[in-house]
Amino acid sequence: MLLSQIKTETGIAVVAREGSEAAIVQGAVSTYALALEAAEAGRSLAAVVAGYGLGPAVDLLRAAAEGRMLSPITHPDPAHLHLTGTGLTHLGSASTRNAMHAKLATADETDSMKMFRMGVEGGKPASGAGVQPEWFYKGNGVHLVAPGAPLTSPGFALDGGEEPELAGIYVIAADGTPCRVGWALANEFSDHVTERINYLYLAHSKLRQASIGPEILVGELPHDVRGTSRIRRAGAVIWEKPFLSGEANMSHSFANLEHHHFKYDVFRQPGDLHVHMFGTATLSFADGIKAEPGDVFEIEVADFGLPLTNPLAVAPDTGMTTVHAL
């Protein structure tokens, strides 16, 4: 089952889809509310949706064309939606990072390559927790951009580039248990030029907007996820590459990545919503592409329904930020 949210004449509607048939979930306030209800009742999300029943049919392609697709899940208070992620998790993901962070004065392998090798050797334990991955923070719900809406690079940024990824979507139950809502496509938008200056700038480079959806896959994730990441400029494709994910293409198990995020009690606060991105091995930046304002990022995987598209925008530089003393 796929879940999405759309704008309607009366507000927001949740849409459930099986195959090509999509319909409004009758009486549903939001995907978040459905997920919390499932978590508190100890029922599957699919069962909760079935209990509400389906109403009018929806043409999702038309809704997308009309700009009515919303993020497939949001929190009523954006400060309680956490955007986080992890890197160096995919087989082949180390080559680009290693080149970006290469030490010119020594033949020793970079810290990035060491981290990658640690994941290969201990990221999929037979039982218990494995080696912890690289982890980063992107922001809160203020940074979550709807499908089709611009991903805006700050005026001070040196670059704005796509990162096609899978994201896990989670709500925290009243007793502090993390509950997975499902999986979504994500564009983990980043500043790779800033990151390349020094790997200690990774934290700065990740404090950017991100987009997920348009649909959440509820249920089991395929072991081998295959899709395409591309950039369109003035309607023409200027770059395109296969996008691989799923545990068949990763050095860490999802269970290990989830453990190392939710082991921190600050991320197990009842009612919070988490969008946790799981990394990639595919970047246009690695092929020398510099995205320009108006370019459209497109990430497509058949199992996830509609493609995730977002144009690039650049905000004006607001200059020096000064602090007012009270």
Side-chain angles (χ1 to χ4, degrees):
M1 180 177 68
L2 295 164
L3 289 179
S4 56
Q5 296 188 134
I6 63 171
K7 297 177 189 175
T8 70
E9 293 180 354
T10 57
I12 297 175
V14 180
V15 177
R17 180 150 79 103
E18 295 279 0
S20 61
E21 303 298 319
I24 290 175
V25 181
Q26 297 190 109
V29 176
S30 66
T31 308
Y32 171 76
L34 290 172
L36 270 189
E37 182 177 336
E40 298 307 327
R43 303 169 65 200
S44 72
L45 182 53
V48 169
V49 170
Y52 276 76
L54 301 182
V58 174
D59 184 340
L60 286 178
L61 285 174
R62 180 176 177 181
E66 294 173 348
R68 294 192 293 115
M69 299 298 299
L70 301 169
S71 293
I73 192 167
T74 54
H75 195 287
D77 178 357
H80 286 276
L81 189 160
H82 305 278
L83 290 174
T84 55
T86 186
L88 296 171
T89 54
H90 283 63
L91 301 172
S93 62
S95 57
T96 299
R97 182 77 70 82
N98 196 54
M100 288 168 62
H101 300 162
K103 299 174 183 176
L104 301 179
T106 176
D108 292 343
E109 68 178 4
T110 66
D111 289 335
S112 294
M113 185 59 75
K114 291 176 183 177
M115 180 71 76
F116 174 74
R117 293 189 190 283
M118 288 168 61
V120 170
E121 294 168 3
K124 291 182 176 179
S127 62
V131 65
Q132 61 186 358
E134 174 192 68
W135 182 95
F136 57 83
Y137 174 72
K138 284 195 69 66
N140 59 24
V142 173
H143 271 177
L144 185 62
V145 172
L151 284 165
T152 302
S153 186
F156 57 77
L158 302 180
D159 181 48
E162 89 297 335
E163 292 205 13
E165 306 192 10
L166 296 184
I169 316 297
Y170 309 86
V171 294
I172 310 301
D175 64 357
T177 300
C179 300
R180 189 191 309 115
V181 178
W183 316 85
L185 296 179
N187 189 333
E188 196 270 288
F189 184 62
S190 299
D191 182 346
H192 301 105
V193 173
T194 292
E195 179 188 349
R196 186 174 59 183
I197 294 171
N198 189 301
Y199 75 95
L200 295 178
Y201 280 163
L202 177 72
H204 286 280
S205 74
K206 296 298 187 183
L207 283 171
R208 301 291 185 270
Q209 294 180 334
S211 186
I212 62 169
E215 301 177 80
I216 294 174
L217 175 64
V218 178
E220 291 299 315
L221 180 72
H223 190 59
D224 184 10
V225 175
R226 294 173 179 263
T228 305
S229 179
R230 62 179 65 91
I231 299 176
R232 298 183 188 272
R233 180 172 295 165
V237 175
I238 64 164
W239 177 85
E240 182 175 273
K241 210 162 191 176
F243 161 54
L244 303 178
S245 194
E247 287 193 4
N249 302 296
M250 296 174 65
S251 52
H252 286 260
S253 67
F254 286 112
N256 191 53
L257 298 174
E258 289 171 336
H259 162 71
H260 285 296
H261 178 68
F262 290 112
K263 68 184 181 184
Y264 297 103
D265 58 7
V266 69
F267 294 141
R268 300 195 307 274
Q269 298 304 302
D272 278 4
L273 176 62
H274 291 256
V275 176
H276 192 59
M277 289 161 259
F278 290 112
T280 188
T282 305
L283 301 174
S284 64
F285 179 79
D287 292 336
I289 301 295
K290 181 174 177 58
E292 300 177 355
D295 287 356
V296 177
F297 304 118
E298 184 175 289
I299 304 166
E300 185 174 27
V301 176
D303 290 322
F304 288 82
L306 298 182
L308 175 60
T309 61
N310 298 93
L312 171 64
V314 177
D317 191 348
T318 56
M320 183 73 178
T321 299
T322 56
V323 174
H324 176 70
L326 300 178

